[in-house]
Amino acid sequence: MNNSKFLKIVIVLLLLINLSTITFMWLHRPPKNDAVGDFFAKELQFTAKQKEQFEALKKEHHEAKEALKEIDKEKHDTYLDLLKDPKVDSVTVRKAADEILVVKEKEELAMFYHFQKVRALCDEKQKQKFDEIIKEAARMMGSKQREGQGPPPRREGEDGPPPPPRP
């Protein structure tokens, strides 16, 4: 058998292996993970009616969160566009950073009020369990939202670094 024939056979075999691997992975992919929702449903042992109400609250919260995420992206784009202006003043930079912080505050408030509504769904026994697990659930939700977004928060009374010298 010559080299050309051997290479063709190897290529066809590799293609078949790749196609079968991709097909297997596609057919056996895990279901979409809703860790926080699953966590609540399991830990609080919701009734069928509570599950239905919880799903509606999750959908409402997800929509609000996505809208805020889009605003956050726009504010970050505006903030980072300031880098293009070598003569940008610190007041403008601070204002843009403050606008990002306002969005972050809205995200935090949205999460708080979402959890408040979830707690209102619970009976007294579930409320006790909710109070025990809420911090863990909030960390699960918050860690997804906070990963690598935005400038570091400014502390009260902190002016930050001086602006760079002008040429």
Side-chain angles (χ1 to χ4, degrees):
M1 177 163 43
N2 64 25
N3 265 350
S4 153
K5 218 178 204 181
F6 176 73
L7 289 175
K8 287 179 185 176
I9 291 172
V10 169
I11 290 172
V12 169
L13 283 173
L14 289 173
L15 280 171
L16 289 173
I17 291 170
N18 281 339
L19 285 173
S20 60
T21 302
I22 291 170
T23 303
F24 178 80
M25 290 172 60
W26 180 260
L27 294 174
H28 295 91
R29 68 183 183 268
K32 190 175 179 182
N33 187 11
D34 179 16
V36 178
D38 294 343
F39 180 72
F40 271 115
K42 179 181 159 216
E43 292 292 321
L44 298 176
Q45 299 174 347
F46 282 148
T47 64
K49 184 178 179 183
Q50 286 174 318
K51 284 180 186 176
E52 187 179 306
Q53 293 170 323
F54 179 63
E55 288 301 317
L57 287 176
K58 274 188 354 186
K59 182 180 179 197
E60 175 187 308
H61 178 67
H62 178 74
E63 289 170 0
K65 198 168 62 170
E66 289 301 310
L68 287 169
K69 190 186 294 185
E70 187 60 35
I71 294 169
D72 182 66
K73 181 186 175 304
E74 291 169 9
K75 298 295 181 188
H76 272 91
D77 288 348
T78 301
Y79 177 72
L80 294 173
D81 283 344
L82 295 174
L83 292 169
K84 297 174 186 174
D85 181 2
K87 296 180 182 180
V88 67
D89 61 286
S90 62
V91 173
T92 303
V93 173
R94 230 177 252 288
K95 183 178 180 222
D98 286 344
E99 288 177 5
I100 292 170
L101 293 175
V102 167
V103 176
K104 297 296 181 194
E105 178 182 33
K106 287 179 181 178
E107 289 173 352
E108 291 298 320
L109 289 171
M111 186 170 65
F112 178 86
Y113 291 123
H114 170 68
F115 283 139
Q116 190 177 52
K117 290 175 186 175
V118 171
R119 189 176 189 278
L121 290 178
C122 299
D123 61 28
E124 288 308 310
K125 185 178 176 188
Q126 290 170 326
K127 284 180 181 176
Q128 289 176 349
K129 183 67 176 177
F130 179 94
D131 294 343
E132 293 172 15
I133 65 171
I134 186 59
K135 289 179 183 172
E136 185 177 349
R139 284 186 199 102
M140 290 169 71
M141 271 182 84
S143 65
K144 288 187 268 183
Q145 289 179 348
R146 289 184 195 77
E147 290 175 357
Q149 294 182 0
R154 222 175 52 233
R155 284 181 239 137
E156 198 64 36
E158 186 177 287
D159 284 337
R166 298 188 191 254

